[in-house]
Amino acid sequence: MQRAKSILLAAVYCLSVFVIFPNNVYAMHIMEGFLPMNWAAFWMIVMLPFLIMGLRSINNTIKDSPNLKMLLAMSGAFAFVLSALKIPSVTGSSSHPTGVGLGAILFGPSAMSVLGVIILIFQAVLLAHGGLTTLGANAFSMAVVGPFVSYGIYKGLQKLGVSRGICVFFAAAVGDFMTYITTSLQLALAFPSAQGGVMASAVKFMSIFAITQIPLAISEGLLTVLVFNLLSTYSSKELLALEVFSNKKHDNEVKA
Amino acid sequence: MKQVVKNIILVVLIIALAVLPFIIKSGAEFAGADDQAEKAISTINSNYQPWFKSVWEPPSSEVESFLFALQAALGSGIVSFYLGYKKGQKSRNEVRQHDSY
C-alpha cells in the first residue's frame, strides 16, 4: 500500500512538471511597498479578527493543558524552518514552503494565524523578505487561507475515512498551494489589467507565484507527513489530547 | 511496512524533489529575483512606484543567507529538541512500566 502511495506521489509530481513549464518565475511573499496603500490597509483590517481569534484559541489551549506548550512551540518552529528554506523548483527559480499546515492540523487554523504573523514580521524586519506594509496581505494568505484550507481538508478527508497519511499530505500540500493562489489574487485585485481586468492579471500573477509552488507544495506535504508520523510515534498522548484523531480506528492504531 | 522504512522513503522523495530541478533545468539560475513579479506589475501599471522601502535590508547576500540559515537552525533546533525529548520520555516510561511488572 505504501509503495503504491509513493509511486502515485511520484507520478503526480512528474505530471505537474511536464504540464506546466514556464521560464524563470519567482514566487514568494508580496514585496515591501508593492501594494497600494488602500489595499495594504484593507488586508490589515481583514487580518485583525483572525489574529484575535488565534490569541484566544492559543490561550484556551494552554490554559486547559499547559503541557501542550512545547508542542505548540514545535509547530511554530516547524513553520519557521520551512519558510526559511528557499528550495529550487522545476521552473528554474526558487521559492519557499510555508509550513503552517502541521500546526493547523494540531492546534486549529487560528492558532497558526498568530504564529504565521510572528514569522512574517521576523522576515520583513530582518530579511527584507515580504514587508511591513504588505504584512496584512501576506498574513492573510499564509496565516489565514493556508491554515484554514489545511484544517478543512484534514477534517473533511478524515470524515470520509481516508487514511491518516493521505489526509495530512493533502492538507499540508493544498494549504501551501492555496497560500500562493491567494497572493496572486491579492496582486490581481490591486493591479487589474487595462485589458481583461482582474481576471487577466490573476492569470498573469498565478503563472508567476503559483506554478513554482507546485513541487514545493508536494515537498511540504511529504515533510509534514514525516513529522506527523514521528509525532504520532513519540508524542501520541499530546495528539490524543488535541483530538487530532477523531476516528476510533485511528485511535486504536496509535495506541497499538 | 515498518514506520522507519516509510519515513526513509519520505525523506528520499523530499530530497529527490529538491535535486530534480537541477537535473531538469541544469542551466537555470534558480535566483529569487524579485524582478518577475515587479516586472509584471510595471507592465500592468507602469506608473506604480513602491511607496515604502524595507526598514532594513541585509547589507550583502552573505548576511542575508546567514540570517536565513539562522532562522532554519533555530527552528530545526526546537523541532529536534521536542522530538528527542519525547522519544526519551517515551522510552523511560516503557522501562518504568517494565520494572513495575
Side-chain angles (χ1 to χ4, degrees), chain A residues 2-3 6 13 17 21-26 31-37 40 70-71 73-74 77-78 80-81 83-94 119 122-123 125-129 132-133 187 191-193 201 204-205 208-209 215 218-219 222-223 225-226 229-231 233-235 238, chain B residues 1 3 6-11 13-14 16-22 24-25 28-41 43-45 48-58 63-64 67-83 85-87 89-90 93:
Chain A
Q2 185 65 34
R3 190 175 302 163
S6 314
Y13 175 68
V17 171
F21 222 77
N23 278 319
N24 291 325
V25 287
Y26 168 75
M31 297 73 68
E32 183 76 279
F34 266 87
L35 270 188
M37 212 177 287
M70 255 176 88
L71 184 59
M74 200 225 85
F78 181 73
F80 206 58
V81 184
S83 51
L85 296 178
K86 293 188 198 167
I87 303 169
S89 173
V90 285
T91 49
S93 63
S94 304
I119 294 166
F122 177 90
Q123 293 199 320
V125 173
L126 287 179
L127 295 164
H129 183 64
L132 291 176
T133 57
L187 280 172
F191 299 99
S193 289
S201 286
K204 189 170 204 161
F205 285 116
I208 295 171
F209 278 94
I218 296 171
S219 288
L222 295 172
L223 193 62
V225 174
L226 177 72
N229 282 347
L230 292 172
L231 284 176
T233 310
Y234 298 124
S235 186
E238 282 78 10
Chain B
M1 214 185 286
Q3 189 69 54
K6 278 189 204 173
N7 288 345
I8 290 172
I9 291 175
L10 284 170
V11 171
L13 275 175
I14 294 163
L17 275 173
V19 174
L20 203 65
F22 292 115
I24 297 177
K25 287 236 140 191
E29 284 177 37
F30 297 103
D34 302 48
D35 293 358
Q36 201 76 19
E38 287 183 26
K39 257 184 220 154
I41 289 172
T43 51
I44 292 166
N45 182 351
Y48 187 77
Q49 288 295 325
W51 55 282
F52 198 84
K53 282 256 174 275
S54 295
V55 198
W56 183 78
E57 273 188 50
V63 177
E64 190 183 343
L67 287 167
F68 269 108
L70 188 69
Q71 185 185 342
L74 281 174
S76 56
I78 295 171
V79 171
S80 310
F81 175 82
Y82 182 80
L83 289 172
Y85 178 76
K86 281 291 158 192
K87 186 176 176 356
Q89 204 174 42
K90 198 186 170 208
N93 284 343

Side-chain angles (χ1 to χ4, degrees), chain A residues 149-161:
Chain A
V149 167
S150 293
Y151 185 78
I153 288 180
Y154 183 77
K155 289 289 170 195
L157 288 179
Q158 197 180 43
K159 264 198 190 129
L160 292 173

Side-chain angles (χ1 to χ4, degrees), chain A residues 90-108:
Chain A
V90 285
T91 49
S93 63
S94 304
S95 178
H96 65 82
T98 62
V100 292
L102 179 73
I105 293 170
L106 297 176
F107 288 95

